[in-house]
Amino acid sequence: MSLRLFVIYCALIGGLCSYLGWAAGLSITSEGFLRAAYKGMFAGTLIGAGLSLLDSIWNGRSLTFTFCHTLVAGILAAVGGIIGGIIGEFLFNIHSSLIIAGWLFTGLLIGVAISTFEILISLNNNQAKIFAISKALKCMAGGAMGGLLGGGIFYSVLLLWVAWFGPGIFWTPAAIGFSVLGICIGLFIGLAQVLIKEAWVRVENGRWQGKELILAKSVSVIGRKEGCEIALFGDRNLAPEHACIRRRDNGFYLADLDSPDGTYLNKKRVREETPLQSDDIIQAGATKLKFLEKTKNRI
């Protein structure tokens, strides 16, 4: 999956899950705090779980990790949705436009929910903890921006739709607003992770051709073992931990991890840690990876 496709899927999943959350909230017929809390809870649960599931699949996580990540994110996002829904309803009663602040807060908490599990499992590893916290900050910023923009559109639709077309059953101004809100939260959480990237690799052949993975950690291991940052399942020529890409102050470096078949950079076998340049081709096992890096001035 390319990074662009990842962002698109984030937006689509956010919109669909938010709409389904709104529809589930219709079971509460009376307007007020209870209905707002239910809608926020259902929308938060589905958006948080849906985006976490996509994130785990995209990064090639194990089934256990994916299940736990999705479960924790869904629960925490539900709490965030309830709090955001209640805050939004309270502010809406003061002035209708203030509902935007409630959705901004909801988006921020959904961003926190998506990253919390990774923070928890990295507490004993400083390197992994730094990465998890960095990801959390990006997701929080993306969720807040999505909530702000989506909340603004949500409010605008509420003002205009009924006057133009009148209410429907499953396609009301609130339904449109919730859908757009979810799209914006998913879109900005995806963009926050992708746009701030410094370097990434793209699989050039085989089963995972076209897949792109961000090099966010100080060490990214290439292998077929669960837990590898660049996990390439299905390549029998690949060692469980075959090679790694290390981030240094002055760039990225490739190193072989004593793999049986060796690691190659631009068709030359890597025998010691070797600096990487954008568009370099790495071969590990039968898989070829293209290293890509944003243009920058190196020290």
Side-chain angles (χ1 to χ4, degrees):
M1 184 192 301
S2 70
L3 297 176
R4 183 180 300 175
L5 197 57
F6 170 73
V7 174
I8 293 172
Y9 281 161
C10 282
L12 292 176
I13 288 175
L16 175 62
C17 291
S18 190
Y19 174 78
L20 292 175
W22 168 84
L26 292 178
S27 59
I28 306 299
T29 56
S30 60
E31 295 289 346
F33 288 101
L34 181 60
R35 188 171 189 177
Y38 263 84
K39 286 182 177 180
M41 179 186 72
F42 287 126
T45 300
L46 293 173
I47 294 173
L51 293 179
S52 296
L53 178 62
L54 174 62
D55 182 74
S56 293
I57 293 173
W58 181 56
N59 286 293
R61 301 295 193 179
S62 66
L63 289 176
T64 302
F65 181 99
T66 300
F67 174 78
C68 294
H69 186 199
T70 304
L71 179 63
V72 170
I75 293 172
L76 293 179
V79 175
I82 291 172
I83 295 173
I86 292 174
I87 290 175
E89 183 68 19
F90 173 77
L91 294 174
F92 181 81
N93 290 333
I94 298 175
H95 191 280
S96 59
S97 65
L98 294 179
I99 194 173
I100 298 172
W103 288 119
L104 183 153
F105 190 71
T106 301
L108 186 148
L109 290 180
I110 289 174
V112 173
I114 292 171
S115 310
T116 298
F117 179 70
E118 291 185 69
I119 294 175
L120 292 175
I121 65 173
S122 66
L123 292 178
N124 295 325
N125 186 324
N126 287 333
Q127 178 191 115
K129 183 167 63 176
I130 291 171
F131 164 74
I133 292 173
S134 173
K135 181 176 179 178
L137 293 174
K138 294 173 186 176
C139 288
M140 288 169 61
M145 285 295 297
L148 179 64
L149 178 60
I153 298 174
F154 176 92
Y155 177 67
S156 300
V157 170
L158 283 176
L159 293 179
L160 299 175
W161 182 268
V162 173
W164 290 353
F165 302 107
I169 300 176
F170 286 103
W171 198 243
T172 68
I176 296 172
F178 259 74
S179 299
V180 173
L181 175 70
I183 288 171
C184 290
I185 290 176
L187 175 67
F188 277 91
I189 285 178
L191 282 174
Q193 297 184 66
V194 170
L195 293 180
I196 306 176
K197 68 184 184 300
E198 292 182 24
W200 65 104
V201 293
R202 183 175 67 223
V203 182
E204 296 293 291
N205 67 326
R207 175 183 177 184
W208 303 105
Q209 185 172 2
K211 183 176 182 179
E212 295 179 317
L213 293 161
I214 297 172
L215 301 174
K217 295 186 178 181
S218 58
V219 179
S220 297
V221 176
I222 303 169
R224 55 182 172 84
K225 178 183 176 181
E226 288 186 354
C228 287
E229 287 72 24
I230 305 172
L232 302 168
F233 307 117
D235 185 345
R236 296 181 180 180
N237 298 315
L238 198 68
E241 293 187 352
H242 195 104
C244 71
I245 298 174
R246 296 191 177 105
R247 180 203 296 262
R248 305 290 190 194
D249 290 337
N250 61 340
F252 291 82
Y253 291 76
L254 176 66
D256 182 65
L257 298 178
D258 297 323
S259 60
D261 296 332
T263 303
Y264 294 82
L265 179 62
N266 300 323
K267 299 183 179 180
K268 294 181 181 179
R269 186 159 185 165
V270 175
R271 301 190 183 278
E272 60 183 14
E273 192 172 86
T274 306
L276 289 166
Q277 302 290 335
S278 192
D279 293 326
D280 278 349
I281 298 296
I282 302 165
Q283 181 164 349
T287 304
K288 293 181 179 179
L289 304 166
K290 177 176 279 192
F291 172 78
L292 298 161
E293 185 178 16
K294 282 186 176 179
T295 303
K296 62 180 181 180
N297 295 322
R298 292 193 171 183
I299 297 172

